[in-house]
Amino acid sequence: MTVLALAATTSMAVAQETTSSVRGSVTAEGTPVSGATVTVTHLPSGTVSTMVTGESGAFSLSGLRPGGPYRVSVKADGYPEASYDDISLTVGQPYNLPVTVSQAAALDELAVVAVRPTQALTTSFNRDKIDGVASINRDIRDIARQDPFASFNPSTRGVSIAGTRNTTNKFSVDGVRFSDNFGLQGGGLPTNRGPVPLDAVEQLSVKVAPYDVTEGDFQGGSIAVVLRSGDNKLSGSAFYTYTDDSLQGDNSRGTVVNQTLTSKNWGAFLSGPIIKDKLFFAGSYEKLDQVTPALFGLAGAPSVVPGLTQASLDAISATASSVYGYDTLGLAQTLPETDEKYTIKIDYNLTDKHRLSYTYIHNSGETEALGGGSTSPTSPGIGFQSYATREPQI
């Protein structure tokens, strides 16, 4: 799967699923203040957006990066400057900021620490919260399942929101839909694992039945992911995990279990400036190579099929070859899986009111599925290697 997303934002147009906004009004003793200059600065990147209030004193600056921290400053003739710090924005949610200025001569500048507003039935996870979630599979669904209205099915890795089927949710990454429209994957995504590296996610929000007219084409919930953007600081990270069957036990309550298991997962993230305060990049990469034991098998397998021996299986394979010319390829004992994904994001501050964003997402993977297994004493079943299907997840 390869996805390109190109978005241009201005102060008059906003993509609800990829950007945020700051809005409010400037008043003095209950009277609107016109001609006040409102400046919103994204401190990590130096990105600045400004506007001047009209007769109503209202202001609205949109197309802003989610996250922060932001600083909002207000200057009006005859009043000291008002400054609001430590503001963090949530994707798709306007930040309401009423500003009151006064004639207090003793103050050269009025500094206020803003408090994040809340919105009902919406859960948002910023980068710090995402880092605090344990995800063995490094999957964005492990983040979404933290929502109080969400329930998780460990067998399919599907996330159900407000009791609806997981395939009716809407998944989007930087405004591009990633839902499984055909319902072929039990997890609700077109990929077996997460569509993007977990380190690439800046913010994830879960909305339960939102009433916003810009949201649609789903029944359960809307799960929106925004990828990380670069800023004026060069930064990066890398990880590597490894496990195999030598790192786990082989005896379960007196039963010897022999499982072939190997898992290697690695990746990296890098972001920074190309032109300070103007042009930024962010890139991520993740790769998984894994081999897990087949569920059904003979003695030592996770689920032992009764009444079958290696000799009986060899006899079946010999008959299939001599009579029908069919090679069973022997008993399927392991199931390999590969998953590779990477993202590239470029942000360009064209002017104070225009920003261009380019996103490239690539995901390719393959799993081996094996059907036809049963531990029933009356109808035991087991699958040969030739019965396995390789399912590309691209």
Side-chain angles (χ1 to χ4, degrees):
M1 174 180 291
T2 300
V3 176
L4 294 176
L6 184 65
T9 60
T10 72
S11 60
M12 298 301 294
V14 60
Q16 287 281 341
E17 292 185 343
T18 62
T19 63
S20 189
S21 61
V22 175
R23 62 178 62 167
S25 61
V26 182
T27 60
E29 298 180 353
T31 302
V33 177
S34 63
T37 301
V38 181
T39 303
V40 178
T41 304
H42 182 252
L43 299 180
S45 66
T47 303
V48 176
S49 299
T50 61
M51 76 166 297
V52 178
T53 61
E55 294 182 357
S56 65
F59 62 89
S60 178
L61 296 106
S62 56
L64 305 176
R65 291 188 186 189
Y70 278 88
R71 172 179 294 159
V72 178
S73 60
V74 180
K75 293 182 180 180
D77 292 341
Y79 300 96
E81 179 178 348
S83 179
Y84 298 78
D85 292 322
D86 297 327
I87 292 177
S88 182
L89 303 183
T90 301
V91 59
Q93 297 184 31
Y95 191 102
N96 296 313
L97 184 65
V99 178
T100 302
V101 294
S102 67
Q103 296 284 0
L107 293 177
D108 293 329
E109 180 176 339
L110 177 64
V112 181
V113 177
V115 179
R116 179 197 300 269
T118 59
Q119 182 172 340
L121 301 183
T122 298
T123 304
S124 179
F125 303 89
N126 59 20
R127 188 63 235 173
D128 290 338
K129 291 183 179 179
I130 293 173
D131 287 337
V133 175
S135 177
I136 297 177
N137 291 285
R138 299 184 58 82
D139 193 330
I140 59 175
R141 286 169 292 195
D142 289 330
I143 311 300
R145 62 189 284 197
Q146 306 301 313
D147 182 88
F149 287 90
S151 59
F152 183 70
N153 186 332
S155 61
T156 64
R157 297 197 57 77
V159 177
S160 173
I161 299 178
T164 61
R165 183 179 173 85
N166 63 71
T167 54
T168 64
N169 298 328
K170 182 175 73 171
F171 271 92
S172 65
V173 179
D174 274 5
V176 179
R177 187 182 179 98
F178 270 80
S179 304
D180 180 18
N181 292 330
F182 294 99
L184 301 179
Q185 294 289 337
L189 289 172
T191 55
N192 190 47
R193 293 179 177 265
V196 296
L198 198 60
D199 290 341
V201 179
E202 170 65 28
Q203 195 172 106
L204 183 147
S205 64
V206 180
K207 299 179 181 179
V208 181
Y211 51 80
D212 194 327
V213 295
T214 63
E215 300 278 4
D217 196 21
F218 67 95
Q219 298 178 21
S222 173
I223 302 173
V225 175
V226 176
L227 299 183
R228 297 167 71 178
S229 297
D231 52 38
N232 285 325
K233 181 181 179 181
L234 182 65
S235 60
S237 62
F239 75 92
Y240 177 82
T241 63
Y242 174 83
T243 187
D244 61 23
D245 49 83
S246 67
L247 300 175
Q248 64 180 14
D250 57 3
N251 190 297
S252 177
R253 297 181 179 180
T255 301
V256 177
V257 180
N258 299 317
Q259 300 190 45
T260 301
L261 170 66
T262 303
S263 179
K264 293 182 286 185
N265 195 11
W266 67 94
F269 173 83
L270 183 66
S271 68
I274 300 175
I275 302 175
K276 186 179 180 180
D277 295 340
K278 275 291 193 181
L279 186 61
F280 312 93
F281 78 93
S284 65
Y285 177 84
E286 188 170 328
K287 179 71 181 292
L288 169 75
D289 285 318
Q290 182 171 280
V291 176
T292 56
L295 178 61
F296 298 96
L298 304 179
S303 297
V304 178
V305 178
L308 293 179
T309 64
Q310 186 62 51
S312 62
L313 296 179
D314 291 341
I316 294 173
S317 296
T319 301
S321 177
S322 60
V323 177
Y324 302 101
Y326 180 79
D327 188 357
T328 64
L329 301 178
L331 180 64
Q333 297 180 333
T334 59
L335 301 175
E337 179 183 0
T338 61
D339 184 74
E340 183 181 41
K341 50 203 170 194
Y342 54 86
T343 65
I344 300 172
K345 189 169 184 177
I346 304 294
D347 291 277
Y348 186 24
N349 295 330
L350 299 173
T351 68
D352 287 353
K353 296 183 179 180
H354 300 81
R355 182 167 64 91
L356 183 68
S357 180
Y358 168 87
T359 301
Y360 179 90
I361 301 173
H362 176 84
N363 184 301
S364 62
E366 189 174 75
T367 60
E368 189 167 292
L370 183 64
S374 173
T375 57
S376 171
T378 57
S379 57
I382 199 168
F384 285 106
Q385 187 70 34
S386 60
Y387 191 63
T389 58
R390 301 193 68 85
E391 301 177 351
Q393 310 288 327
I394 58 176

